[in-house]
Amino acid sequence: MDTKIVRINEVNKDEAIKEAGHIIQRGGVVAFPTETVYGLGANALDKSAVKKIFIAKGRPQDNPLIVHVADKKIDAFVKEIPPLAATLMEKFWPGPLTIIFKKSELIPEETSANLDTIGIRMPKNELALRLIKESGTPIAAPSANRSGKPSPTTMDHVVNDLNGRIDYILGGDMSEVGVESTIIDCTVTPPCVLRPGGISLEALQRLDQTIYIDPHILVKSENIKAKAPGMKYRHYAPNAPLTLVDAGEDTIKVINDLTKEYQVQGLRVGILCTDETHRLYSGDEIHSLGSRAHLETVAQELYDALRLMDAKDVDVILCETFEEKELGITIMNRLKKAAGFKVIKSNG
Ligand code: TXA
Ligand code: MG
C-alpha cells in the first residue's frame, strides 16, 4: 500500500486535513498527531475500517480502542454519563484523559473488542480536533506504533513503523505530553485509574478522593486479568534489553560498574539519565531525558529516547529511575514495562 505522507505547514494545512478527513469517511486509516502521542485513526463506527487498524499495527484483537471526539456531546455513544465523568470532562477535556463509559449500540464490537464499555477522549491538539470535525465521525485510535514498540511522539516515528501499511500520515509537531492519556474507569465505584498518563493521579484525587489506581498496574502482574486489556502485553520495548537502576545515592556508581562489566564483554552500552548526571557516565551512548526538576520534559522525551537507543544500535540499556509521584508514576510505569520490570537495586 502507498502511504501518503504530508508534513503539515501553514500553506498545506487546510488541504491536508480535508484530504485526511475524506480518507476516514471512506473507511481508510490515517495517522495523526495528538498532544499525548500520535494516533492511528479510523471511523470508530465502521467495523471494517476499525479492523484495518488492528492489521496495520499487528494488534491483538482483544485490545479495545479509544474513541476520539471533537466536542463533549457524547450521549449517542454511551449509555449514561455518571456525575464524576461529567465533572472530569468539564475539567480535563480537551486533554490527556480517557474516560471509560458503558457503551451504546452505536459502537461496534470491533472498536470495543467485545467489551460493553468504551474509552472516550477529547484530544487537545488542533490538528486532531480539526481532523475529527472534518471526518464528521468519532475516530477510534490507538497509538500509531507497531504493536510492542514505544509509542510514536514524532511523525518520523510513525513513518518508521507504519509507512506502507496505512493510507495517510498527517505529520505535525512532536507531541507535547509525550506519554499516553490517563485512563479512568467511571463505570465502577470507587472510580479506578487503569493506566497512569498525562493527567496525574493526584490531580484526579483533588477532585474526588475516592479515585484510586489499580494496584496491579504498578507491579508485574502477568497472572492477573488486566482490566485495561492492553496493559498485559509487552510494551514500549526498545530492541536492546533495558535495565532500570534504582540504587539511591549509589546509582551512578552502579551504572558505571555495570557499564564496565558489559564493555569488557564487548557490548555497546546505552545510558538514559538526566541533565543532573549525564556528565558522570562513561557509556557508549549517553542520553539525557531532561532535568529531574521538569518531569514534563522527561515524559515528552521518553519514547524518543527509547527509539534513539534502537537507532544507535546499543546492545544493552541502563536507565535511572524516578520518584513515583505525580508524572513520575506514569514515567516509571512506562519504563518498568519497557524493562520487563527488571530493576537493579544494588550491584552485587
Ligand atoms: O493518549 C492516548 O490515549 C493515545 C492517543 C492516540 O489518544 N491512545 C492510546 O491508545 O494510547 P492505545 O490503544 O495505544 O491504548 C489504549 C489502552 C489499551 O491499554 C486498552 O486496553 C485500554 O486503553 N482500553 C481501551 N478501551 C478500554 C475499555 N473499554 N476498558 C478498559 N481498557 C480500555
Ligand atoms: Mg499503545
Side-chain angles (χ1 to χ4, degrees), residues 37 57 59 63 142-145 148-152 180 195 235-236:
V37 300
K57 279 192 61 127
R59 180 178 178 99
N63 196 359
S143 48
N145 50 290
K149 290 272 137 209
S151 297
E180 298 86 339
R195 178 176 73 182
H235 253 96
Y236 318 116

Side-chain angles (χ1 to χ4, degrees), residues 247-296:
E249 287 177 359
D250 291 338
T251 296
I252 293 158
K253 181 175 180 330
V254 171
I255 288 182
N256 278 330
D257 287 352
L258 284 169
T259 299
K260 265 187 222 135
E261 284 174 30
Y262 286 129
Q263 287 174 333
V264 166
Q265 296 168 43
L267 299 175
R268 275 170 52 72
V269 182
I271 294 176
L272 294 175
C273 54
T274 49
D275 288 356
E276 288 80 3
T277 55
H278 81 279
R279 281 175 317 286
L280 306 174
Y281 292 115
S282 55
D284 299 284
E285 296 292 341
I286 303 167
H287 185 73
S288 173
L289 296 164
S291 167
R292 282 183 181 275
H294 299 110
L295 287 186
E296 290 79 12

